[in-house]
Amino acid sequence: GAVVSQHPSRVICKSGTSVKIECRSLDFQATTMFWYRQFPKQSLMLMATSNEGSKATYEQGVEKDKFLINHASLTLSTLTVTSAHPEDSSFYICSASRHVGGGGEKLFFGSGTQLSVL
Amino acid sequence: GQQLNQSPQSMFIQEGEDVSMNCTSSSIFNTWLWYKQDPGEGPVLLIALYKAGELTSNGRLTAQFGITRKDSFLNISASIPSDVGIYFCAGRETSGSRLTFGEGTQLTVNP
């Protein structure tokens, strides 16, 4: 199956610093990637849709200046949490959409990044 | 907005038992996806469904795309301890639209 690589898997940072998370599609090109946030024992919450070569589309309530998304190539999207605060501590997961035969799409996820802001 | 109800919220079963969980939506979907998530990991795709009535198996897992296109179920036969985890359904209304996720089913398998 398709592989999506996400790094780092865990990061601890001080309040006020910025953290960059990378998401790579290893064996396919992904024109669209997605960034999710997940709180303990809850479902995935879509933060933004990352489009290669264009601006990301943010969901309502997600601050675009706080969560910077860059999708500079067909295999790499990055999420930068700027001026992180403790309330930004969460599990962040990226995913990449891959078209399959017959017009279908499959969404493959990275392994997630646990962000802890002290 | 779009609503996706997944049930049950949690299940506690004995090893060897069969398991069934389902999702229903408030609107018609053209894609249903089922995922399993282990603690501290991203969701892993189990089964993808694209046609109403489609029944697809992946080992001991079987999932079906409901005829009404508003529901889907996932069955796990002869459960084993490594089946423990959270199972999510996800659906898409049209090609290219965002996926909507269910709230998840926490499965616990007692050996």
Side-chain angles (χ1 to χ4, degrees):
Chain A
V3 178
V4 175
S5 175
Q6 184 174 344
H7 294 281
S9 58
R10 181 178 295 273
V11 58
I12 301 172
C13 68
K14 292 182 179 180
S15 185
T17 61
S18 294
V19 175
K20 179 184 282 188
I21 303 170
E22 292 189 349
C23 182
R24 296 179 184 272
S25 57
L26 297 184
D27 56 355
F28 67 101
Q29 293 182 330
T31 55
T32 304
M33 291 186 175
F34 304 88
W35 288 94
Y36 294 83
R37 185 172 181 176
Q38 186 178 34
F39 293 103
K41 299 187 184 298
Q42 294 189 20
S43 189
L44 289 78
M45 180 182 73
L46 181 64
M47 299 175 63
T49 301
S50 173
N51 303 296
E52 188 269 337
S54 64
K55 292 182 179 180
T57 303
Y58 290 83
E59 294 301 301
Q60 189 173 9
V62 178
E63 300 177 56
K64 61 180 181 180
D65 295 329
K66 173 75 170 177
F67 300 99
L68 299 179
I69 291 173
N70 184 282
H71 194 157
S73 77
L74 287 172
T75 59
L76 174 64
S77 176
T78 61
L79 168 68
T80 301
V81 183
T82 62
S83 187
H85 289 92
E87 58 265 30
D88 297 325
S89 298
S90 188
F91 193 57
Y92 293 87
I93 315 173
C94 72
S95 67
S97 180
R98 183 178 193 180
H99 291 275
V100 297
E105 283 182 74
K106 290 184 178 180
L107 196 65
F108 296 95
F109 286 88
S111 55
T113 298
Q114 182 64 55
L115 171 63
S116 299
V117 184
L118 305 178
Chain B
Q2 175 57 247
Q3 288 187 332
L4 195 55
N5 297 311
Q6 183 171 351
S7 65
Q9 188 173 20
S10 62
M11 301 182 74
F12 297 84
I13 62 172
Q14 293 296 125
E15 182 177 0
E17 291 183 356
D18 297 342
V19 172
S20 184
M21 58 193 79
N22 69 83
C23 281
T24 58
S25 71
S26 57
S27 58
I28 291 174
F29 282 169
N30 72 355
T31 300
W32 282 100
L33 304 173
W34 283 93
Y35 291 89
K36 177 176 184 261
Q37 185 177 27
D38 292 325
E41 297 288 333
V44 174
L45 182 63
L46 300 174
I47 293 178
L49 303 163
Y50 301 108
K51 296 180 181 179
E54 180 180 357
L55 183 70
T56 299
S57 293
N58 178 7
R60 293 178 295 105
L61 280 62
T62 302
Q64 185 160 30
F65 195 139
I67 295 176
T68 65
R69 297 174 64 190
K70 291 185 176 182
D71 64 310
S72 177
F73 71 74
L74 174 70
N75 287 342
I76 305 174
S77 62
S79 60
I80 59 178
S82 60
D83 290 335
V84 167
I86 302 178
Y87 292 80
F88 290 101
C89 65
R92 179 184 285 121
E93 291 185 52
T94 59
S95 178
S97 64
R98 70 187 64 176
L99 272 181
T100 299
F101 281 84
E103 292 301 309
T105 296
Q106 172 70 63
L107 177 64
T108 301
V109 180
N110 296 314

